[in-house]
Amino acid sequence: MKKIPYGVANYWKLRKQNFYFVDKTHFIPKIEDLGSQYLFFLRPRRFGKSLFLSILEHYYDIRMEEHFEDLFGDTYIGRNPTPLRNSFAVLKFNFSGIPVHGDLRETEHSFNRSVKRDVASFFVRYSEIYPDLEKVKDIVLSEEFAGDIMDNLIKVLADIGVSYYLLIDEYDNFANNILMQHGRLNYRDVTHAGGFLRSFFAVIKNGTENRVIERMFV
């Protein structure tokens, strides 16, 4: 008997553990044909956003090429793959777990740590495919702040010619929690002027303008 995937946001798990799956992969070529490589997707809670990000991650990840048939063979995109399938390194951030129960300094510290952890994982996953990553890992991870980490990463990946797909899940989750729990002034301190979240996305914006981030889905 197939299981209901309530709360399951991992495509690998969904496909490997006998869950029901509503095939939404026909949206992948439509996204590629939109004319923009940098997309924001805003929908209500429980709309399947995180699962769809996981689908994109497994479809575009160069490491998943040998698993393509198992994961997508019986789907629309499995029967109609695009030329971009399994052609990118994938850098994925998920900001849903950033705690906001302390002050803003503690929240910023948790945010910096989360970004550094995900970037470190990126180096581990792709070092065998791109050996030059080992040469630049320490340069990137020596930084303390998320914006500086991302800025260094954008520069070094451009230098060594690594094309990557940037995925960001729950990009404003903890900022909204700050608004609800700590009020508008604290929210503005994070998201406006020199706030650390605004500064982080400003770095990403520069990366898209310089075309060093190949594609992005937020």
Side-chain angles (χ1 to χ4, degrees):
M1 182 181 294
K2 285 186 176 292
K3 297 175 282 188
I4 304 297
Y6 184 79
V8 177
N10 184 296
Y11 184 66
W12 178 280
K13 179 178 180 180
L14 186 145
R15 298 294 282 163
K16 295 290 188 177
Q17 296 186 15
N18 198 36
F19 284 100
Y20 278 107
F21 172 60
V22 178
D23 187 2
K24 297 181 180 180
T25 62
H26 59 282
F27 288 112
I28 292 176
K30 293 176 182 176
I31 288 173
E32 290 187 9
D33 292 339
L34 283 175
S36 174
Q37 294 173 295
Y38 312 113
L39 302 173
F40 276 75
F41 184 62
L42 307 178
R43 289 296 184 275
R45 294 174 61 83
R46 296 299 177 191
F47 208 84
K49 301 185 298 298
S50 294
L51 176 58
F52 190 68
L53 240 69
S54 184
I55 291 173
L56 295 180
E57 178 184 9
H58 286 84
Y59 179 74
Y60 288 109
D61 193 339
I62 192 172
R63 298 177 310 125
M64 292 288 111
E65 185 172 12
E66 63 182 282
H67 302 289
F68 183 82
E69 189 60 32
D70 288 342
L71 293 174
F72 295 101
D74 60 348
T75 66
Y76 174 87
I77 202 66
R79 297 185 292 271
N80 305 275
T82 68
L84 293 179
R85 72 167 242 201
N86 303 122
S87 58
F88 298 107
V90 176
L91 174 60
K92 184 178 180 182
F93 296 119
N94 185 338
F95 296 148
S96 63
I98 308 296
V100 300
H101 52 267
D103 59 25
L104 292 188
R105 187 182 299 272
E106 292 174 294
T107 300
E108 181 179 6
H109 178 67
S110 296
F111 179 74
N112 293 334
R113 228 174 14 181
S114 176
V115 169
K116 178 175 281 192
R117 181 181 62 245
D118 290 339
V119 170
S121 178
F122 176 88
F123 281 110
V124 171
R125 291 198 306 272
Y126 295 104
S127 288
E128 284 190 14
I129 300 173
Y130 305 106
D132 286 344
L133 286 177
E134 281 295 327
K135 303 174 185 176
V136 298
K137 178 175 69 173
D138 291 340
I139 298 173
V140 174
L141 297 179
S142 65
E143 297 291 349
E144 177 183 356
F145 297 104
D148 295 332
I149 294 169
M150 195 64 194
D151 188 45
N152 267 359
L153 183 70
I154 288 171
K155 291 174 181 174
V156 300
L157 293 189
D159 288 342
I160 63 179
V162 175
S163 296
Y164 59 107
Y165 204 126
L166 177 61
L167 299 173
I168 304 179
D169 197 10
E170 302 281 4
Y171 82 97
D172 64 346
N173 178 280
F174 75 93
N176 289 334
N177 289 337
I178 289 173
L179 177 63
M180 291 186 290
Q181 297 183 33
H182 300 286
R184 184 175 299 176
L185 290 179
N186 283 312
Y187 175 81
R188 289 183 62 86
D189 286 343
V190 170
T191 60
H192 290 65
F196 67 85
L197 187 60
R198 179 183 174 89
S199 299
F200 177 78
F201 280 104
V203 170
I204 291 176
K205 181 175 183 290
N206 290 336
T208 60
E209 289 177 349
N210 297 330
R211 308 292 299 199
V212 294
I213 297 175
E214 187 69 27
R215 286 178 176 266
M216 178 175 70
F217 194 95
V218 180

